[in-house]
Amino acid sequence: MFYIDDLLAEIGIPLDGEDPCPDLLLAETIVSHLGGTLHENPNSSAPKPTQWKDQKNDDIFVSTDKGRRIALEQAKREINHVKKKLVDLGIYSAPDEPVDPDSIVDGLFKEFLGETSKIYCTFLANRDISFANDHVTFSRFLLTFLSTTTFGLSREQIAEDSQLNDDGLMSVEIYKRCWKSIGDANMPEDLENDSGITPFWYEVEVAINHTLKYILIVDMNGRIVAVIDDDKMHYQL
């Protein structure tokens, strides 16, 4: 490593035994060697390097890795909370019993999207969403939707990809019609004069939030720390 005092000694500028400083000391030394004086800004509040010193101050502290520790502890509480909720719903067995993943997934589907779920009943209550009159057809729509999001492909792209098996999915035409009916449901003809009409997509959003809120938040002990990101979803806490 090459220090500034070595550099200055090489060009014949003595340091008079002072500690080297990468910026101010170099400037002062060179200006003095050239016969001038370094004028400092009187309005500057920054101390010289030689004025820095350790000072006890209880108001100043450093917290290392606190965010990750808080997130970890909250994650533990959230997991235990969800386990308890699933036990209450009869989806998850007691912690000391063997876990059956298939049974848990089946129970979650029934709770979130089953024939008595709030989300499905929201679809069923809207007469414009005819495909939801049959829960099997509704489930095929969900399967198609989740397939497109999982692969990051449109329904057309899945149909054209020879490596993907689209058995059981809705056809491209029927899938498009389903989304068209969802997009048009409860939408006013004049968006500037909606007459207080609530769009169907908003009703679905409320139903999803209601279900997630009950399982993830209601009756949870302790403080919940949330990070607000630029997310377009509307969560009702």
Side-chain angles (χ1 to χ4, degrees), residues 18 40 57 69 125 177 181:
E18 294 187 14
E40 297 183 13
N57 191 327
R69 285 187 282 112
R177 286 204 299 268
S181 64

Side-chain angles (χ1 to χ4, degrees), residues 137-215:
T137 305
F138 175 74
S139 299
R140 285 169 63 89
F141 168 77
L142 291 176
L143 176 62
T144 308
F145 169 67
L146 293 175
S147 297
T148 61
T149 57
T150 298
F151 295 113
L153 300 173
S154 67
R155 180 62 185 93
E156 293 93 333
Q157 290 173 320
I158 291 179
E160 295 169 357
D161 194 324
S162 60
Q163 295 183 337
L164 297 178
N165 184 357
D166 63 352
D167 291 345
L169 303 186
M170 281 183 165
S171 67
V172 174
E173 295 74 17
I174 295 178
Y175 185 62
K176 284 183 175 181
R177 286 204 299 268
C178 290
W179 274 116
K180 182 70 166 55
S181 64
I182 292 174
D184 293 342
N186 292 17
M187 290 298 292
E189 295 181 4
D190 183 3
L191 295 178
E192 295 182 358
N193 184 20
D194 58 13
S195 303
I197 298 176
T198 301
F200 175 68
W201 65 263
Y202 181 79
E203 294 178 357
V204 174
E205 191 175 68
V206 170
I208 293 173
N209 284 330
H210 174 85
T211 304
L212 293 176
K213 179 179 179 180
Y214 173 73
I215 293 180

Side-chain angles (χ1 to χ4, degrees), residues 93-114:
S93 57
D96 55 344
E97 296 180 9
V99 176
D100 181 4
D102 292 337
S103 175
I104 293 178
V105 172
D106 184 62
L108 285 173
F109 177 80
K110 291 178 180 178
E111 181 66 26
F112 279 90
L113 301 164

